[in-house]
């Protein structure tokens, strides 16, 4: 088959590799019908994730059709259309049993991490992928849900919802600010309404992204290149600040921004992946009674989100801005890597 192979920092190729095979009886082989690229894949290509070995097939998002199942797979069948979750879970370890498969203990020797596709094992940017613990790691797609909507449930929608909205404890009436209007921040904006946020303020440096945010559930948009951004945000609350500030960028500046605009008693929910240390100004923050949360997505809410997508209550397909075929993978990466110019949100790559 063909796949996108990582050859060290700055190097990748769409090339011939051996077809994946069933290794464990709990495995399935999935023919990829649609996949997409995540900001994390760009981090890997920069060399920011040293655990990714040369020769690894990248990608942790995808939908496809089961072509083979191991002997122990009972609840899925060849021919099923499925979402491949970015988190692989054994279903039996102590973390899986406390609904935290992000830290699954039983992954191919990778103790304590559920994200293994395109990281510790071969991923989804390929014609076929081997899925360990298939019954727990795949979700059957109901009729009427398109591939391009379903693929947003592999990673971005559960991430924005679980690590942003749910960790942020959004309640009815809350004013929520989301810093960073990329696919993950937009997912938090789209799902903040599920818990009755009264106002959702999108904050970004890119006016195009802010314009898109208004179609993803943001009621207001603030460009933080303007020096007045703090006052603009405060004026959208009762003057005290927002109830929940969601960080969806992953740089020290935007984490600080969250702590500046959160009201006393509020929550800062960090979603961004940070590569550099962030200074925690505890000398100013201790008195504010705030909570700060972090997390790696567990994708335990994927079935619920999928139901809402099937009911047309979450327009997941709206993230798709550019379409490619699998053998145009290199062009797809180029378009996604130049998102500021190309205005790409998610590129959908189909067979
Ligand atoms: N916690 C998890 O489980 C998890 C899962 C997936 C992704 N992530 C992380 O979530 C973050 C967002 O992902 P994404 O794919 O949406 O990223 P993205 O790069 O597509 O979007 C980031 C947005 O932030 C904006 N931005 C950049 N610098 C800014 C600044 N200083 N002030 C305001 N806005 C700024 C950009 O204009 C862009 O719109 C990344 O750090 C990603 O690695 C976390
Ligand atoms: Zn991702
Ligand atoms: Zn487990």
């Amino acid at each position: 088959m063909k796949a996108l192979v990582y050859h060290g920092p700055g190097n990748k190729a769409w090339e011939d590799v051996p077809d994946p095979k069933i290794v464990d009886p709990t495995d399935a082989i999935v023919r990829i019908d649609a996949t997409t690229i995540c900001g994390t894949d760009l981090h890997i290509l920069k060399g920011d994730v040293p655990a990714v070995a040369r020769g690894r097939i990248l990608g942790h998002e995808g939908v496809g059709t089961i072509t083979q199942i191991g002997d122990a797979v009972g609840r899925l069948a060849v021919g099923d259309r499925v979402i491949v979750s970015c988190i692989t879970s054994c279903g039996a370890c102590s973390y899986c049993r406390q609904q935290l498969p992000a830290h699954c203990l039983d992954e191919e020797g990778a103790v304590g991490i559920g994200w293994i596709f395109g990281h510790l094992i071969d991923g989804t940017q390929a014609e076929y992928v081997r899925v360990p613990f298939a019954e727990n790691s795949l979700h059957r797609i109901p009729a009427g849900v398109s591939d391009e909507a379903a693929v947003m449930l592999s990673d971005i929608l559960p991430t924005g919802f679980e690590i942003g909205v749910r960790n942020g404890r959004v309640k009815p009436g809350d004013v929520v600010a989301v810093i960073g209007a990329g696919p993950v921040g937009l997912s938090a904006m789209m799902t903040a309404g599920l818990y009755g946020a009264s106002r959702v303020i999108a904050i970004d440096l890119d006016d195009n992204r802010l314009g898109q945010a208004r179609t993803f559930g943001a009621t207001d948009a603030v460009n933080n290149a303007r020096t007045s951004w703090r006052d603009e945000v405060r004026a959208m609350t009762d003057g005290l600040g927002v109830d929940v500030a969601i960080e969806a960028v992953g740089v020290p500046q935007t984490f600080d921004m969250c702590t500046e605009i959160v009201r006393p008693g509020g929550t800062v929910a960090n979603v961004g992946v940070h590569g550099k240390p962030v200074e925690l100004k505890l000398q100013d923050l201790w008195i504010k009674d705030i909570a700060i949360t972090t997390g790696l997505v567990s994708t335990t809410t994927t079935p619920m989100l999928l139901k809402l997508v099937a009911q047309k209550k979450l327009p997941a397909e709206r993230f798709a801005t550019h379409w490619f075929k699998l053998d145009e993978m290199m062009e797809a990466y180029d378009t996604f890597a130049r998102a500021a110019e190309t205005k790409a949100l998610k590129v959908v790559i189909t067979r």
Side-chain angles (χ1 to χ4, degrees):
M1 69 162 182
K2 293 267 195 206
L4 196 274
V5 179
Y6 173 68
H7 290 292
N11 274 313
K12 61 181 183 309
W14 179 250
E15 64 189 32
D16 286 310
V17 295
D19 287 352
K21 291 190 178 58
I22 300 274
V23 176
D24 295 312
T26 46
D27 289 351
I29 304 292
V30 173
R31 181 195 73 202
I32 293 293
D33 295 329
T35 182
T36 179
I37 306 170
C38 176
T40 306
D41 299 319
L42 301 182
H43 278 297
I44 292 170
L45 279 162
K46 275 194 230 147
D48 289 349
V49 190
V52 181
R54 287 163 198 248
R56 179 66 64 230
I57 299 171
L58 297 185
H60 51 266
E61 298 167 85
V63 301
T65 306
I66 296 179
T67 56
Q68 284 179 61
I69 51 173
D71 292 341
V73 177
R75 289 199 297 269
L76 294 165
V78 169
D80 284 352
R81 274 180 77 221
V82 288
I83 295 167
V84 182
S85 174
C86 67
I87 298 293
T88 311
S89 52
C90 77
C93 75
S94 59
Y95 278 114
C96 282
R97 293 177 75 161
Q98 56 181 296
Q99 297 295 301
L100 211 55
H103 300 285
C104 178
L105 294 168
D106 193 9
E107 290 315 324
E108 315 249 321
V111 171
I113 187 87
W115 167 47
I116 59 172
F117 283 124
H119 179 202
L120 306 173
I121 67 166
D122 286 334
T124 55
Q125 290 163 4
E127 289 178 303
Y128 293 87
V129 62
R130 178 179 76 89
V131 180
F133 301 114
E135 288 186 355
N136 302 319
S137 312
L138 296 173
H139 302 271
R140 215 183 270 123
I141 305 174
V145 175
S146 67
D147 288 349
E148 67 189 25
V151 78
M152 307 309 164
L153 289 156
S154 286
D155 178 353
I156 62 165
L157 271 168
T159 296
F161 178 64
E162 293 175 17
I163 309 303
V165 173
R166 205 179 55 172
N167 280 4
R169 299 181 289 190
V170 174
K171 302 181 300 303
D174 276 359
V175 178
V176 178
V178 181
I179 303 185
V184 171
L186 293 171
S187 295
M189 296 175 208
M190 188 182 265
T191 55
L194 297 174
Y195 286 150
S198 62
R199 246 175 143 153
V200 177
I201 308 167
I203 307 178
D204 203 293
L205 293 168
D206 178 344
D207 282 326
N208 164 56
R209 285 272 167 102
L210 288 172
Q212 282 169 318
R214 290 181 184 277
T215 71
F216 282 83
T219 55
D220 302 273
V222 172
N223 190 319
N224 58 304
R226 292 194 292 265
T227 51
S228 57
W229 73 271
R230 281 181 203 80
D231 298 330
E232 291 177 46
V233 172
R234 268 198 204 107
M236 291 169 189
T237 74
D238 52 8
L240 292 173
V242 301
D243 298 286
V244 181
I246 296 174
E247 199 287 336
V249 184
V251 297
Q253 183 200 358
T254 46
F255 180 81
D256 275 350
M257 288 168 64
C258 287
T259 63
E260 285 178 51
I261 57 174
V262 70
R263 66 188 290 139
T267 304
V268 173
N270 183 84
V271 187
V273 172
H274 290 264
K276 293 209 184 91
V278 175
E279 191 187 342
L280 184 62
K281 301 197 174 89
L282 216 44
Q283 69 280 17
D284 301 326
L285 295 175
W286 71 272
I287 203 167
K288 284 183 82 172
D289 280 279
I290 59 165
I292 298 174
T293 64
T294 70
L296 168 66
V297 65
S298 267
T299 68
T300 47
T301 63
T302 298
M304 180 278 287
L305 295 168
L306 178 56
K307 212 182 283 178
L308 295 178
V309 170
Q311 293 167 356
K312 312 286 178 218
K313 291 190 174 129
L314 285 180
E317 65 289 344
R318 217 173 265 172
F319 289 98
T321 54
H322 293 73
W323 287 263
F324 297 90
K325 291 288 173 194
L326 280 173
D327 61 9
E328 298 168 321
M329 186 66 78
M330 300 298 270
E331 290 95 308
Y333 259 91
D334 181 61
T335 298
F336 184 71
R338 295 186 298 111
E341 276 163 72
T342 60
K343 306 198 185 326
L345 281 178
K346 285 300 257 186
V347 298
V348 176
I349 307 152
T350 58
R351 66 186 283 271

